[in-house]
Amino acid sequence: MAEPEQGTAECVRAIGGPVGAADLTARHSIGEVAAASGLSAHTLRWYERIGLLEPVDRSHAGQRRYSDADLARLAFLTKLRLTGMPVADMVRYVELLRAGDGTRAERRELLVAHRAEVRQRLADLHATLAVIDLKIEHYGTPPLPADGTGETRDQHSAQDRKSA
């Protein structure tokens, strides 16, 4: 049996690997997958229970063993979740995937709609970042001392309060 650190390293490589025909050999423990993915063991079991992951193979002792194919799916699902896709939409996507090639157009539509939402959130974040950048510029120069240069610390502070 592989050392835990070595198993986790192999799991990290598998979860970060390219999407494609992944190895179906069940070899990764739930602890290794949790460490590699950043998801808790509870979340992994829940993903399996609600159908986001196929039923995971078990060792002779009943412990879950994940394949590289499981990790490839998990990596994609994690990215969808990171972009804010609701779990219900993720479940719908996986159901369509299981239904076969006849659902390709519907899967594409689901992803295209989600991409539009992500792009809108990114645009909103960029606009918000621009406001924060302006505020940082505002604070970029230290307040002037009250030494006859015109503006006092109190005047500078009053302006700060006005612009929040």
Side-chain angles (χ1 to χ4, degrees):
M1 186 156 108
E3 293 291 321
E5 289 179 15
Q6 179 185 358
T8 301
E10 289 173 8
C11 192
V12 168
R13 276 192 297 280
I15 206 164
V19 176
D23 186 352
L24 297 174
T25 306
R27 67 169 60 97
H28 307 289
S29 73
I30 195 167
E32 291 167 352
V33 174
S37 68
L39 299 172
S40 68
H42 174 78
T43 298
L44 293 168
R45 289 188 294 270
W46 181 63
Y47 275 16
E48 183 182 353
R49 192 169 50 252
I50 65 172
L52 286 175
L53 293 174
E54 300 299 328
V56 177
D57 284 342
R58 303 289 182 128
S59 71
H60 66 282
Q63 297 171 327
R64 286 175 169 81
R65 291 288 180 220
Y66 295 83
S67 70
D68 289 354
D70 294 324
L71 298 182
R73 165 139 340 143
L74 188 59
F76 182 63
L77 293 172
T78 301
K79 286 178 180 27
L80 291 178
R81 195 71 190 116
L82 184 63
T83 61
M85 181 179 269
V87 173
D89 288 349
M90 293 167 52
V91 169
R92 178 70 181 137
Y93 177 84
V94 171
E95 287 170 349
L96 291 169
L97 188 62
R98 284 190 190 110
D101 282 343
T103 65
R104 289 176 63 92
E106 197 172 347
R107 282 181 271 158
R108 184 179 191 284
E109 288 173 23
L110 193 143
L111 293 174
V112 166
H114 181 64
R115 179 180 62 186
E117 292 171 12
V118 170
R119 284 181 172 165
Q120 182 59 56
R121 280 199 312 277
L122 285 171
D124 293 345
L125 282 172
H126 281 291
T128 303
L129 184 59
V131 171
I132 292 170
D133 286 343
L134 286 172
K135 187 54 79 171
I136 289 170
E137 276 184 44
H138 173 75
Y139 290 119
T141 46
L144 298 172
D147 63 356
T149 58
E151 193 174 82
T152 66
R153 288 182 190 267
D154 291 336
Q155 288 170 330
H156 202 45
S157 296
Q159 184 165 353
D160 284 350
R161 285 191 298 273
K162 288 179 189 175
S163 65

